[in-house]
């Protein structure tokens, strides 16, 4: 087994290394996606409009679900798969930017997943707005050689064009529901409708050609809707759709309560993680209650909750009344890397730094961003930190042991402290001032989305879950974009979850 980032800097992808072969999978021309481009931001405006003028996704979702049921989809929305007693499946989140970072994940994903029964994409299949014309190069092409079905739960970006493309691809080419009645002038709904981004007509020839890339009978997956459950072996995998704003409507909430009943062990897949960045986000349900209330209910037998949306890997083993639920963030499937060095020292839900895991390691995250902004600001001599310097200063900030043994130049200096502060490094709760909290939040929200990069290491990741009657083995594998990690993808984290 190859070294991971916890073993050596080379295992993390640093140093001179042979580039991976992933570029051979890519199209000749790739349009680079920038989240600082005003056109991109304007196209992705629906989330902001929903927060200002009211979120319409609950009503839209109900109309989509009604169309699927009218076409013959099962009312309980349960997919029943005939699998061996021991089987495996893949989870990958936030995949679809269509650039180097997404394609760098593919060789390792195919190697690790070659004998798995199916895969699940957890959030944001297509960036920036879930357009049907982007599915060819951001979904069908990269995963054309994965031999099994791929299911998905939508993320907020898939909702930016009212989920139409997602429903075509994953839900049996469902035709769109009839438009809602026109709202009264000058109401909040009227302003929302006036400004709302709407999809362009699809290039049908382009879509048909893309569809043929994953047209083998064994690759076909047909979902009963944007939320669903899969019964496979001893477990039930429950996928929920958290829409534009990270919530679920009352109708979906009632379904979730119903499908969660019974003694079968369950794994939640959600577009919005319940524990992330050292915080608890229980996900409200319209009409009362939260998704996490359902997950924590001992009568429902959830053993894990896996969410996308945040583009890295995190794991929080939370003790709930004497049993452990693994709360996992798995959004490292291709989109730009969200920083982990901005995560403060963890103390949430009874989980401390001793139990918390993340990838990339915080030191590697800080080194990555220091290189990135050193280049962009043309201040390389000042900004750029070696991986050893970054690891040392993050450990000092948090008061923890470094993620791996520091190198010889791992000294904490005035410069490394200043760079870490400018790049939003997290800190200890007892040392974090009221001023630094909003500064770090501003950094995370404003600067991180512009952080696309086109050369390794990318610090991408995906999951493999091996299921038996007794346990689920969850492993997080890394994808750096280097050849060594393509040939033998390193395991960055592993946990065994008992089912009995």
């Amino acid at each position: 087994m190859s070294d991971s980032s916890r073993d050596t800097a080379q295992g993390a992808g640093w140093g001179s290394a042979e580039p991976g072969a992933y570029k051979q999978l890519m199209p000749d021309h790739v349009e680079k996606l920038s989240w600082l481009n005003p056109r991109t931001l304007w196209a992705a405006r629906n989330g902001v409009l929903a927060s200002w003028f009211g979120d319409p996704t609950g009503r839209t979702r109900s109309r989509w679900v009604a169309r699927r049921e009218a076409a013959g989809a099962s009312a309980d929305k349960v997919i029943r798969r005939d699998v061996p007693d021991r089987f495996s499946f893949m989870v990958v989140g936030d995949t679809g930017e269509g650039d180097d970072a997404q394609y760098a994940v593919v060789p390792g994903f195919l190697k690790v997943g070659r004998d798995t029964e199916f895969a699940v994409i957890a959030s944001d299949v297509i960036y920036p707005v879930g357009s049907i014309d982007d599915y060819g190069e951001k979904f069908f092409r990269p995963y054309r050689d994965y031999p099994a079905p791929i299911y998905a739960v939508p993320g907020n970006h898939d909702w930016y064009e009212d989920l139409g493309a997602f429903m075509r691809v994953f839900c049996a080419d469902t035709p769109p529901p009839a438009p809602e009645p026109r709202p009264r002038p000058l109401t909040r709904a009227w302003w929302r409708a006036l400004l709302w981004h709407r999809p362009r007509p699809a290039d049908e020839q382009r879509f048909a050609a893309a569809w043929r890339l994953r047209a083998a009978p064994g690759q076909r997956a047909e979902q009963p809707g944007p939320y669903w459950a899969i019964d496979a072996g001893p477990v039930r995998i429950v996928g929920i759709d958290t829409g534009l704003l990270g919530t679920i409507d009352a109708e979906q909430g009632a379904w979730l309560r119903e499908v969660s009943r019974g003694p079968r062990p369950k794994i939640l897949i959600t577009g919005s993680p319940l524990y992330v960045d050292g915080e608890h986000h229980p996900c409200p349900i319209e009409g009362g209650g939260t998704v996490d209330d359902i997950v924590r209910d001992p009568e429902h037998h959830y053993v894990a909750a896996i969410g996308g949306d945040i583009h890295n890997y995190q794991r929080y083993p939370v003790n709930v009344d004497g049993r452990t639920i693994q709360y996992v963030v798995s959004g490292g499937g291709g989109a730009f890397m969200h920083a982990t060095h901005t995560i403060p020292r963890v103390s949430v839900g009874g989980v401390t730094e001793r139990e918390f895991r993340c990838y990339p390691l915080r030191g590697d995250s800080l080194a990555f961003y220091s290189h990135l902004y050193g280049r962009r600001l043309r201040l390389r001599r000042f900004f750029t930190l070696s991986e050893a310097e970054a690891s040392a200063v993050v450990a000092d900030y948090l008061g923890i042991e470094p993620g791996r043994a520091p190198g010889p130049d791992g000294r904490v200096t005035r410069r490394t402290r200043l760079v870490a502060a400018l790049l939003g490094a997290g800190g200890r709760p007892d040392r974090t001032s009221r001023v630094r909290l909003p500064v770090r939040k501003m950094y995370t929200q404003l600067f991180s989305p512009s952080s696309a990069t086109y050369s390794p290491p990318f610090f991408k990741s995906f999951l493999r879950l091996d299921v038996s009657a007794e346990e689920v083995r969850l492993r997080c594998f890394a994808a750096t974009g280097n050849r060594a990690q393509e040939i033998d993808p390193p395991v960055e984290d592993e946990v065994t979850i008992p089912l009995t």
Side-chain angles (χ1 to χ4, degrees):
M1 182 178 294
S2 62
D3 283 350
S4 75
S5 68
R6 295 180 179 275
D7 299 317
T8 63
Q10 290 73 27
W14 297 113
S16 57
E18 180 185 357
Y22 68 87
K23 282 186 176 289
Q24 300 172 14
L25 306 173
M26 298 178 66
D28 294 334
H29 173 72
V30 175
E31 184 177 349
K32 293 185 177 181
L33 176 62
S34 170
W35 290 103
L36 293 182
N37 185 325
R39 292 180 61 187
T40 302
L41 294 174
W42 177 243
R45 63 189 179 270
N46 285 359
V48 175
L49 295 176
S51 66
W52 287 355
F53 300 115
D55 185 0
T57 55
R59 293 191 308 276
T60 305
R61 184 187 296 116
S62 294
R63 290 157 56 227
W64 277 118
V65 168
R67 291 299 293 263
R68 284 293 291 129
E69 291 182 1
S74 61
D76 65 2
K77 301 173 184 60
V78 177
I79 303 162
R80 293 168 176 86
R81 291 195 56 88
D82 184 15
V83 300
D85 292 339
R86 294 175 176 267
F87 77 98
S88 304
F89 69 99
M90 306 291 285
V91 176
V92 60
D94 300 87
T95 52
E97 284 197 353
D99 53 15
D100 289 63
Q102 179 179 6
Y103 279 86
V105 177
V106 174
F109 178 87
L110 295 177
K111 180 164 187 158
V112 173
R114 62 183 178 272
D115 61 341
T116 53
E117 294 290 328
F118 56 88
V120 178
I121 297 179
S123 184
D124 291 340
V125 182
I126 300 294
Y127 294 95
V129 294
S131 171
I132 192 68
D133 288 344
D134 287 337
Y135 266 85
E137 294 182 358
K138 299 179 181 181
F139 174 72
F140 289 107
R141 183 185 182 106
Y143 309 117
R144 61 184 172 181
D145 293 326
Y146 179 66
I150 299 177
Y151 302 96
V153 294
N156 57 311
H157 289 268
D158 301 306
W159 267 101
Y160 287 162
E161 292 196 348
D162 294 331
L163 209 65
F166 182 96
M167 295 297 291
R168 286 196 68 176
V169 171
F170 294 102
C171 301
D173 205 13
T174 303
E180 287 192 301
R182 193 171 227 157
R184 292 199 319 273
L186 302 181
T187 61
R188 294 174 73 214
W190 183 85
W191 285 109
R192 184 182 65 223
L194 178 68
L195 298 171
W196 200 252
H197 169 79
R198 303 188 187 281
R200 297 190 303 256
D203 183 333
E204 295 296 340
Q205 287 188 329
R206 180 178 177 181
F207 178 68
W211 184 273
R212 288 193 290 271
L213 295 175
R214 279 190 53 83
Q219 293 177 313
R220 293 175 187 165
E222 185 175 312
Q223 298 178 191
Y227 56 93
W228 42 261
I230 298 173
D231 282 350
V235 299
R236 170 169 284 184
I237 302 154
V238 180
I240 62 171
D241 169 16
T242 55
L244 282 170
L245 301 181
T247 63
I248 68 173
D249 60 277
E251 180 181 319
Q252 184 180 181
W255 169 86
L256 179 60
R257 291 184 177 98
E258 181 64 31
V259 83
S260 298
R261 291 177 180 170
R264 193 172 198 156
K266 298 172 185 72
I267 299 169
L268 183 75
I269 308 286
T270 169
S272 300
L274 302 181
Y275 280 85
V276 61
D277 293 345
E279 298 176 348
H280 183 210
H281 297 269
C283 187
I285 300 173
E286 180 187 27
T290 69
V291 169
D292 202 28
D293 291 339
I294 297 172
V295 170
R296 288 167 174 260
D297 189 328
E299 297 297 318
H300 295 156
H301 299 273
Y302 278 90
V303 298
I306 303 171
D309 190 52
I310 301 301
H311 307 164
N312 52 47
Y313 171 81
Q314 301 173 43
R315 181 169 63 83
Y316 302 81
V318 177
N319 185 293
V320 179
D321 299 326
R323 60 197 175 93
T324 299
I325 301 176
Q326 299 290 342
Y327 290 87
V328 176
V329 178
S330 181
F336 68 86
M337 187 262 281
H338 273 131
T340 58
H341 67 267
T342 58
I343 302 172
R345 180 168 174 162
V346 169
S347 179
V348 61
V351 179
T352 67
E353 281 292 327
R354 183 181 297 275
E355 298 86 25
F356 171 70
R357 294 290 182 272
C358 69
Y359 176 78
L361 297 175
R362 290 183 178 97
D364 288 329
S365 170
L366 178 59
F368 174 95
Y369 274 85
S370 76
H371 284 73
L372 181 68
Y373 282 99
R375 290 195 303 271
R376 289 190 173 179
L377 300 177
R378 299 184 180 181
L379 294 170
R380 296 191 190 198
R381 292 187 64 183
F382 170 71
F383 256 104
T384 302
L385 303 180
S386 70
E387 52 81 20
E389 289 175 321
S391 180
V393 73
V394 165
D396 179 71
Y397 258 73
L398 296 175
I400 61 173
E401 292 296 318
R404 62 174 172 267
D409 64 336
R411 295 181 298 110
V412 178
T413 65
R414 183 177 300 177
R415 180 184 72 88
T416 64
R417 283 181 180 275
L418 180 56
V419 170
L422 290 172
L423 294 180
R428 311 185 205 184
D430 59 339
R431 290 187 181 179
T432 304
S433 70
R434 292 183 179 181
V435 174
R436 286 197 58 199
L437 279 170
V439 168
R440 188 169 63 245
K441 190 170 184 180
M442 180 194 72
Y443 170 84
T444 307
Q445 294 180 349
L446 181 61
F447 292 102
S448 190
S450 68
S451 59
T453 185
Y454 299 96
S455 59
F458 294 116
F459 297 109
K460 301 289 97 185
S461 59
F462 56 89
L463 307 183
R464 175 177 168 129
L465 289 86
D466 302 305
V467 182
S468 70
E470 298 80 26
E471 62 188 28
V472 175
R473 181 189 186 199
L474 183 153
R475 285 177 289 171
C476 171
F477 289 86
T480 67
N482 290 331
R483 185 64 176 155
Q485 285 83 30
E486 283 185 355
I487 294 171
D488 188 9
V491 177
E492 290 292 337
D493 186 35
E494 178 175 349
V495 63
T496 299
I497 305 169
L499 297 184
T500 55

